[in-house]
Amino acid sequence: METEDKSESEDGKTYFVKIHAPWEVLATYADVLKIKVPFKANDIPENNDIPMNWLSTPFRLPEHVMHPEPDYFTAPFNKSKSDFFLIDDKDTFFPPSTRNRIVYYILSRCSYFKDECGDKKGIKRLLNNGTYTAAFPLHDSRYWKRSRDANCESERYSLYKYWARFLCFFKEQPLNLIRKYYGEKIGIYFAWLGFYTEMLLFAAVVGTICFIYGFLTYDDNQWSKEICSEEVGGSIVMCPLHPNFVFIHDSCSTPICMFFAIFMGIWVTLFLEFWKRRQARLEYEWDLVDFEEEQQQLQLRPEYETKCTNRKLNRITQEMEPYLPITNKCARTCLSGATVLFWISLIIACIIGVIAYRLAVYAAFASIMKDSPTNKLQVVGPYITPQLATSVTASCINFVIIMILNLMYERVAVWITDMEIPKTHLEYENKLTVKMFLFQFVNYYSSCFYVAFFKGKFVGYPGKYAYMFGEWSKLRNEECDPGGCLIELTTQLVIVMTGKQVWGNIQEALVPWMMNWWGSRKARNHPESLYSRWEQDHDLQGFGQLGLFYEYLEMVIQFGFITLFVASFPLAPLLALINNVIEVRVDAWKLTTQFRRPVAAKAHSIGAWEEILSGIAILSVVTNAFIVAFTSDMIPRLVYMYAYHSEGEMSMKGYINNSLSVFNISEIPQTTLHKYILCEYILWCSFLCRYRDYRYPPGHEKQYAHTMQFWHILAAKMAFIIIMEHVVFVVKFFVAWMIPDVPSDVRARVKRERYLVQEYLHNYEVEKLKIQLSQNGNNECTCTPMIYPSLPKHEVLSECL
């Protein structure tokens, strides 16, 4: 340990304590932590002959960056058997991430005070009480130039040059170097993010093809021609949704791609299954096969030790440790649950507020845009409708509300989790993950769920409309555009998803840079010789224990957007792909240049996020089936084509007229009529208007009751949902069953490694015994080999001989 004089620091007040770990310390704690190290070169031949391998050459990095280390069989390190392992150089035997993990392990358990209540230990507790302001591993060099020390590998410089710069966006990621420098936990995140981005490429290509095909064949659809034509759509007067009558040709809609919805259901399964295989391979290559998080589970949080004054005996460690009484724990859990419900209610209240905004401004937009110059535009004019204008502005307002609430929910989720006082860091992270995802799920997706499944479904019909808060409120339930709600769902999805991604990348890159610029303003005038490396790192931002938590959360929310509602917008995977290409480099840049080097940590998977992704994948099949059935017009069109076409042939001719019911304007009271119709339309009041529904016409004995076609369509929708869900789920489970989670070659290597560990340790002990016998000059073993600790001596001797 070495202490720097405070007079040499930037502000003249801060002490820097530098901690070094010699070989003896590293070897001792590598034995305690059972860190795996190589003992024999891998003798299993590996097939590296990939067809068309030359095509990937432009995307590869130089070998000195990728660190193609020889493949070894590994075993847990044992200090007493150090000659058993392949130790060429003790200074480089343990990689940097392992060294800083060992040092942090020692610091987190080192006792600094002892009283009648027990030992106070751990650097985290000293950080919490203000004894130390920060504790972090040092970077090995500046990111823009190599270290002056020729023996230093300058891995930070290599990571910045070949990984963190945006011009390298098409290059592969140096995962082994990331793991070596930052540890397995950060390495597994970037491996997952890179794999997710690669899989998005296939979804983006198929989605783009579906979108282009739908766009090119739009004019070939008979029902599209009818709804957008002047002859049919231009002659159908729709019942007033606002102070003006509209013609149905003012509401041209876009077709939905059912094939892409089914494809994405299968794509999600392939993504999760192939990631499990990729993860299993990384587990083997990074020596994480037998890794357990027991030590992380046993390590108590300093906040838990501080707030829990009661003590009890820990049966595992046989030490007195603090605990939270069950009554206190239940009370805190109930209070946190009530708080979560309150904030979710706040989200719903905000959504209702946005709905009220839609209802309030819809009529205003209709009046303003009736004679708008945009109506005369050749291409986009027919699409700029009051409904679309209302939807766009409401989506923008909703996005602003989401961003504001998002800041609040982060603090609320942390406050609620702190209030529960989780015992360990792993428990804390899992509790926070559940709460944050629940908040974000409701916050980001509630508006899309409303537009997709509730808007326009409970509006009644002309003359008997349904009202949001009762008829006294005079706020009718929001209705869809005559062309349907699909275009509004697409608008909502594009604005929220794109806005979140753009804002997230700007925030991730700009905020740390601005804070570092402001924090190091005093040191910018110092020469490099007076601005030490530890001060440079101290002026950077702390990555924090939950740094990766927010990165995973951002990607999982995006994953929900491209799976839950992808049937309405096939270009969503393309937007996600573009964002992720930028996201990989932004995360790499800020981690390499703007943050202190985080303490290396091990992780064999992405943790609880894998279960969340699986849950979203299952839910996405249901949501897309409902979008195709209830939000789009696909099922009503099919029912009409196969069962109700009047000419006896399968054609969509006449579908628009068949899908609209008739209402007599004269049945609306005169006082109510003036609320909906402007003066120039009073002459039409004796005419009939149309509305989207399947009801009997006026004058029929069952006037305004649902027709049999309505029930046939409803039955077809429910049948479609059941069939689509079962087909996709059967294919998903079949694909999951066909693709093993662990590749066969990895399974063989793991078994081979375990076999060799036992065989080589056995031979090692036998050789030691022979040497001992030859040195003693007799035929009796003086010590029992470690591999047979429970056998009698004569049995051991006979086995050895």
Side-chain angles (χ1 to χ4, degrees):
M1 186 171 68
E2 180 182 353
T3 304
E4 294 290 332
D5 192 338
K6 67 178 181 180
S7 61
E8 297 181 3
S9 65
E10 174 190 333
D11 56 4
K13 302 177 182 178
T14 305
Y15 286 100
F16 287 89
V17 181
K18 297 184 292 183
I19 297 175
H20 309 269
W23 166 258
E24 287 297 321
V25 175
L26 293 174
T28 300
Y29 281 91
D31 192 351
V32 172
L33 295 173
K34 302 301 179 185
I35 294 174
K36 287 189 172 184
V37 294
F39 70 91
K40 181 187 182 300
N42 195 330
D43 57 0
I44 299 179
E46 185 174 0
N47 184 18
N48 292 325
D49 296 334
I50 303 176
M52 308 292 287
N53 190 30
W54 57 272
L55 291 175
S56 61
T57 302
F59 308 103
R60 295 188 177 276
L61 289 173
E63 288 192 0
H64 71 276
V65 179
M66 294 300 295
H67 280 262
E69 300 177 354
D71 193 7
Y72 293 105
F73 289 120
T74 59
F77 184 77
N78 190 325
K79 187 179 179 182
S80 63
K81 300 183 179 67
S82 58
D83 55 333
F84 173 74
F85 302 98
L86 302 177
I87 303 177
D88 296 330
D89 186 358
K90 292 183 177 180
D91 293 334
T92 60
F93 182 67
F94 296 110
S97 59
T98 301
R99 294 201 297 268
N100 79 55
R101 186 163 66 92
I102 290 175
V103 172
Y104 186 77
Y105 178 85
I106 298 172
L107 292 177
S108 63
R109 287 158 177 80
C110 183
S111 176
Y112 65 87
F113 184 76
K114 189 173 185 178
D115 57 12
E116 63 278 1
C117 297
D119 292 350
K120 294 183 178 180
K121 55 180 69 174
I123 187 63
K124 287 187 177 180
R125 197 161 185 173
L126 292 173
L127 291 172
N128 285 349
N129 61 30
T131 304
Y132 288 94
T133 58
F136 52 89
L138 291 176
H139 284 293
D140 62 358
S141 66
R142 290 196 170 192
Y143 66 85
W144 64 86
K145 64 179 180 180
R146 294 186 177 275
S147 174
R148 294 178 179 178
D149 186 357
N151 295 324
C152 181
E153 296 184 12
S154 300
E155 293 171 344
R156 185 190 187 193
Y157 168 79
S158 298
L159 286 171
Y160 173 73
K161 182 178 180 180
Y162 297 101
W163 178 52
R165 295 191 303 171
F166 183 73
L167 294 178
C168 302
F169 72 93
F170 61 94
K171 295 286 187 178
E172 61 181 330
Q173 297 189 83
L175 294 178
N176 287 329
L177 183 58
I178 298 170
R179 174 238 180 173
K180 181 181 178 183
Y181 192 74
Y182 289 115
E184 288 80 2
K185 190 171 185 178
I186 291 179
I188 206 79
Y189 163 73
F190 281 103
W192 175 80
L193 181 57
F195 181 81
Y196 173 42
T197 304
E198 292 172 7
M199 290 294 292
L200 274 177
L201 178 62
F202 301 100
V205 170
V206 176
T208 304
I209 293 174
C210 288
F211 180 83
I212 294 175
Y213 173 79
F215 182 79
L216 294 178
T217 59
Y218 182 72
D219 292 334
D220 296 335
N221 295 325
Q222 182 64 36
W223 65 275
S224 299
K225 292 180 179 179
E226 289 185 358
I227 196 173
C228 299
S229 67
E230 290 290 341
E231 294 77 12
V232 179
S235 62
I236 298 177
V237 181
M238 300 299 293
C239 294
L241 305 180
H242 46 75
N244 286 324
F245 282 104
V246 293
F247 295 96
I248 194 171
H249 80 288
D250 295 332
S251 303
C252 298
S253 60
T254 57
I256 193 169
C257 186
M258 186 188 70
F259 163 77
F260 189 59
I262 297 176
F263 168 81
M264 286 301 294
I266 301 173
W267 175 88
V268 168
T269 303
L270 293 174
F271 165 66
L272 294 177
E273 293 302 318
F274 284 136
W275 166 245
K276 290 177 183 177
R277 292 171 61 85
R278 173 67 170 146
Q279 186 172 264
R281 192 174 296 279
L282 287 176
E283 284 184 29
Y284 171 75
E285 293 176 355
W286 292 356
D287 299 321
L288 300 170
V289 174
D290 299 320
F291 170 71
E292 298 291 340
E293 297 179 345
E294 293 179 358
Q295 293 174 347
Q296 296 182 26
Q297 295 172 358
L298 294 176
Q299 183 182 357
L300 301 181
R301 296 175 61 242
E303 295 84 355
Y304 182 85
E305 295 180 302
T306 303
K307 296 180 180 179
C308 300
T309 57
N310 299 305
R311 301 273 168 172
K312 70 175 182 179
L313 181 66
N314 187 318
R315 296 182 179 180
I316 300 176
T317 62
Q318 291 298 310
E319 296 178 357
M320 298 299 294
E321 68 173 20
Y323 79 99
L324 188 66
I326 188 66
T327 54
N328 195 354
K329 187 174 183 179
C330 291
R332 290 176 177 272
T333 303
C334 293
L335 182 59
S336 65
T339 307
V340 170
L341 291 177
F342 167 77
W343 284 98
I344 291 179
S345 301
L346 179 61
I347 300 176
I348 297 174
C350 292
I351 296 299
I352 294 175
V354 174
I355 296 172
Y357 163 83
R358 292 173 183 265
L359 296 174
V361 302
Y362 186 29
F365 273 120
S367 300
I368 295 172
M369 299 180 65
K370 182 172 71 72
D371 298 321
S372 175
T374 58
N375 296 333
K376 301 177 182 179
L377 297 178
Q378 294 293 327
V379 179
V380 297
Y383 299 97
I384 304 178
T385 62
Q387 191 76 19
L388 179 61
T390 304
S391 179
V392 170
T393 57
S395 298
C396 293
I397 293 175
N398 186 54
F399 172 71
V400 174
I401 294 175
I402 287 174
M403 291 294 102
I404 295 174
L405 291 179
N406 191 30
L407 298 175
M408 298 170 58
Y409 295 148
E410 289 184 8
R411 292 173 172 78
V412 171
V414 172
W415 175 72
I416 295 174
T417 308
D418 290 339
M419 184 176 59
E420 294 179 0
I421 317 180
K423 185 176 182 180
T424 64
H425 294 282
L426 190 62
E427 183 182 352
Y428 181 89
E429 190 167 342
N430 289 338
K431 287 179 176 289
L432 184 61
T433 298
V434 173
K435 293 179 179 62
M436 278 293 292
F437 179 73
L438 182 62
F439 279 138
Q440 300 281 25
F441 185 92
V442 179
N443 192 25
Y444 280 106
Y445 302 145
S446 55
S447 58
C448 293
F449 272 103
Y450 163 73
V451 175
F453 306 124
F454 297 98
K455 183 178 179 181
K457 304 300 186 295
F458 311 99
V459 297
Y461 59 91
K464 195 176 181 181
Y465 286 117
Y467 292 84
M468 183 182 297
F469 303 109
E471 192 170 351
W472 59 270
S473 66
K474 299 181 181 180
L475 289 176
R476 280 175 23 206
N477 288 345
E478 195 175 10
E479 301 171 70
C480 292
D481 187 89
C485 276
L486 195 61
I487 189 65
E488 297 181 47
L489 177 59
T490 304
T491 304
Q492 181 77 26
L493 183 64
V494 170
I495 291 176
V496 176
M497 179 181 173
T498 306
K500 179 188 180 302
Q501 293 181 161
V502 172
W503 173 251
N505 284 322
I506 294 175
Q507 189 179 24
E508 287 185 20
L510 190 60
V511 172
W513 181 82
M514 290 294 295
M515 295 182 70
N516 287 333
W517 178 84
W518 181 256
S520 62
R521 64 190 185 282
K522 295 181 180 179
R524 285 195 291 270
N525 297 325
H526 291 189
E528 186 176 350
S529 58
L530 298 180
Y531 193 32
S532 60
R533 184 153 53 93
W534 41 91
E535 287 184 283
Q536 297 171 25
D537 287 6
H538 179 263
D539 289 340
L540 298 177
Q541 299 299 303
F543 191 68
Q545 185 180 1
L546 298 176
L548 285 181
F549 170 82
Y550 294 104
E551 302 297 340
Y552 276 118
L553 180 63
E554 179 184 4
M555 289 295 100
V556 170
I557 293 297
Q558 180 204 83
F559 182 80
F561 277 123
I562 68 169
T563 54
L564 294 176
F565 310 102
V566 74
S568 66
F569 187 50
L571 292 182
L574 178 62
L575 297 180
L577 174 65
I578 296 173
N579 172 80
N580 286 11
V581 170
I582 300 173
E583 180 76 21
V584 172
R585 305 304 159 177
V586 169
D587 287 348
W589 175 82
K590 71 177 184 181
L591 189 64
T592 307
T593 66
Q594 304 301 314
F595 283 89
R596 300 169 188 159
R597 186 176 181 178
V599 177
K602 279 198 170 187
H604 59 84
S605 67
I606 61 176
W609 298 110
E610 192 168 333
E611 298 298 325
I612 292 176
L613 291 174
S614 299
I616 293 177
I618 294 175
L619 181 61
S620 67
V621 177
V622 180
T623 56
N624 283 294
F626 271 86
I627 289 174
V628 174
F630 286 96
T631 308
S632 74
D633 281 344
M634 193 192 76
I635 302 300
R637 294 200 306 268
L638 292 177
V639 171
Y640 173 78
M641 184 172 62
Y642 285 99
Y644 285 90
H645 192 266
S646 58
E647 297 180 4
E649 59 181 9
M650 291 189 299
S651 171
M652 292 302 298
K653 186 176 182 180
Y655 165 73
I656 297 302
N657 188 60
N658 174 267
S659 64
L660 298 176
S661 297
V662 179
F663 181 77
N664 192 343
I665 296 294
S666 62
E667 295 185 23
I668 301 179
Q670 192 69 19
T671 55
T672 307
L673 189 64
H674 286 290
K675 297 179 182 179
Y676 299 102
I677 306 174
L678 295 179
C679 296
E680 59 264 31
Y681 293 108
I682 293 297
L683 296 177
W684 291 3
C685 291
S686 60
F687 285 81
L688 302 177
C689 67
R690 312 295 294 274
Y691 60 97
R692 288 178 60 88
D693 208 340
Y694 294 90
R695 296 178 183 272
Y696 288 107
H700 194 277
E701 61 178 359
K702 297 180 180 179
Q703 66 174 1
Y704 304 131
H706 283 121
T707 64
M708 188 57 66
Q709 185 176 356
F710 170 84
W711 300 109
H712 288 166
I713 291 174
L714 181 61
K717 289 180 177 180
M718 301 306 298
F720 170 81
I721 291 173
I722 294 173
I723 294 173
M724 178 179 172
E725 287 181 357
H726 280 70
V727 169
V728 176
F729 279 134
V730 167
V731 174
K732 281 168 61 70
F733 292 137
F734 178 74
V735 171
W737 175 75
M738 287 289 294
I739 303 175
D741 292 347
V742 182
S744 58
D745 63 318
V746 173
R747 191 182 297 110
R749 288 170 183 268
V750 171
K751 292 180 179 180
R752 172 72 173 164
E753 183 174 285
R754 288 173 178 171
Y755 165 75
L756 287 178
V757 168
Q758 295 182 359
E759 182 183 22
Y760 272 65
L761 278 176
H762 175 272
N763 295 336
Y764 174 83
E765 293 291 343
V766 169
E767 291 298 325
K768 286 187 64 176
L769 182 59
K770 289 180 179 179
I771 294 173
Q772 184 181 12
L773 289 174
S774 63
Q775 290 175 349
N776 293 338
N778 54 50
N779 296 328
E780 184 177 351
C781 292
T782 58
C783 62
T784 304
M786 294 183 64
I787 55 174
Y788 302 113
S790 60
L791 297 179
K793 184 181 294 186
H794 68 275
E795 293 184 18
V796 174
L797 182 59
S798 63
E799 187 72 28
C800 293
L801 296 177

